[in-house]
Amino acid sequence: MLLRRMLPIAVSVALLAGCGGPAEDSLEGRADSGSLTIGIRFDQPGLAQRRIDGKFVGFDVDVAKFIAADLGVDEKRISWVEARSADREKMIMSGAVDFVVATYSITDKRKQQVAFAGPYFETGQGVLVRYTDDEITGPDKLNGKNLCSVSNSTSAQKVVDEFAQGVRLVEYGQYSDCVTALLAGNVDAVTTDEVILAGFAAANPELLKVVGPKFSTEKYGVGLPKDDVQGRAKVNGAIDKMISSGEWTRSFERNIGQSGIEVPDPPRITEQ
Ligand code: GLU
């Protein structure tokens, strides 16, 4: 009799414990604690830049803030951590960040270690040169040149795979260092995604220009731990809302508009 009376209580306690909310170490669980740590770039004009007053601005920053807000986290409770190209997988796998929004291309190789939500943006690899250069007019004119890119980026990998003969690849840790080397005359060109290069060109319009066609397809995803399926679904939902509310387009115009890149159609979310 006692057992029969106790049973419903035991069942409800078990239900509360088991299904009461998201696991603490899931993205939703951590967002429920009120704050998030997000991996971002500090030095990419238009996409993600840390301003002198400590504020972060750019399209990637807006995407990250939108996702955080959708998870119930105010932007004041976001800790921003620099996520350079070579560090992104490590930072996600170690739990140093909750997610990464950092011009991060979705690739099968990376998917062996992390998961992606999105894509939230599509671009392609391009070439940046000094404004006065009329020799390098595109990727087919790089023979014998010193070409700068960033370690562990898809851009550097593409140079190794497709331009290795005749092109000298110089690798730095971040694109702003490549741009400094270009302006100083230490390298002849910089290669990475066109949207990144366009941001640097817009910041130095009398010194730099983007040349030639795009020669790859890069789909930017939000990097997450591999096993957090629900977290990925939540982030996809937030990206969807950012697009359908018009905020995606407004943010692109605000941040990338002056670089001359036309507002593209938002991509279709494929990472489920
Ligand atoms: N989107 C490319 C990548 O994820 C190049 C840009 C970057 O390094 O962030 O490798």
Side-chain angles (χ1 to χ4, degrees):
M1 185 63 199
L2 184 68
L3 187 69
R4 219 188 303 150
R5 243 190 290 144
M6 292 293 284
L7 207 56
I9 299 170
V11 169
S12 6
V13 168
L15 276 176
L16 273 177
C19 321
E24 253 171 56
D25 62 345
S26 69
L27 178 60
E28 281 182 280
R30 286 189 310 274
D32 282 352
S33 78
S35 54
L36 284 169
T37 304
I38 302 175
I40 198 98
R41 286 294 158 71
F42 283 25
D43 65 336
Q44 291 184 178
L47 288 158
Q49 236 180 342
R50 186 180 188 279
R51 287 196 325 209
I52 224 121
D53 62 1
K55 285 221 171 73
F56 286 80
V57 286
F59 181 70
D60 271 358
V61 173
D62 285 352
V63 170
K65 281 186 193 168
F66 197 99
I67 295 166
D70 197 58
L71 288 162
V73 175
D74 188 87
E75 64 178 85
K76 290 191 202 74
R77 304 286 309 269
I78 297 172
S79 302
W80 302 104
V81 178
E82 186 171 29
R84 292 188 181 188
S85 302
D87 301 329
R88 293 172 294 197
E89 286 87 18
K90 265 180 280 169
M91 292 172 81
I92 295 168
M93 288 191 295
S94 69
V97 293
D98 293 315
F99 60 87
V100 162
V101 186
T103 58
Y104 198 10
S105 295
I106 301 168
T107 70
D108 288 339
K109 188 168 166 227
R110 290 173 179 163
K111 278 205 253 183
Q112 288 170 9
Q113 296 185 298
V114 298
F116 289 96
Y120 65 89
F121 189 71
E122 192 178 313
T123 180
Q125 191 164 346
V127 175
L128 181 78
V129 295
R130 285 182 292 275
Y131 194 79
T132 48
D133 189 329
D134 42 34
E135 210 184 312
I136 305 173
T137 51
D140 54 335
K141 296 283 160 50
L142 291 167
N143 255 353
K145 304 292 182 193
N146 292 317
L147 178 62
C148 192
S149 199
V150 164
S151 311
N152 278 320
S153 65
T154 53
S155 326
Q157 190 59 45
K158 182 113 183 151
V159 175
V160 170
D161 293 347
E162 288 180 30
F163 297 89
Q165 278 166 353
V167 177
R168 277 185 300 273
L169 177 65
V170 180
E171 288 183 76
Y172 283 111
Q174 53 185 356
Y175 297 104
S176 53
D177 291 340
C178 279
V179 170
T180 305
L182 179 63
L183 290 169
N186 293 342
V187 297
D188 303 305
V190 177
T191 185
T192 185
D193 306 334
E194 189 186 58
V195 70
I196 300 174
L197 300 177
F200 284 109
N204 303 275
E206 67 293 345
L207 295 172
L208 299 169
K209 63 184 177 187
V210 177
V211 290
K214 290 187 281 204
F215 52 96
S216 77
T217 303
E218 308 294 323
K219 295 183 180 184
Y220 290 172
V222 176
L224 295 152
K226 214 175 159 192
D227 49 7
D228 191 357
V229 178
Q230 265 171 315
R232 183 177 0 161
K234 276 298 272 187
V235 174
N236 277 332
I239 296 169
D240 232 359
K241 271 187 228 167
M242 188 174 181
I243 292 170
S244 61
S245 66
E247 187 46 35
W248 188 94
T249 304
R250 282 193 292 278
S251 172
F252 188 88
E253 281 168 350
R254 202 165 51 234
N255 293 296
I256 323 251
Q258 71 272 34
S259 73
I261 296 188
E262 298 219 340
V263 182
D265 286 335
R268 203 173 50 83
I269 291 171
T270 52
E271 300 301 304
Q272 308 291 349

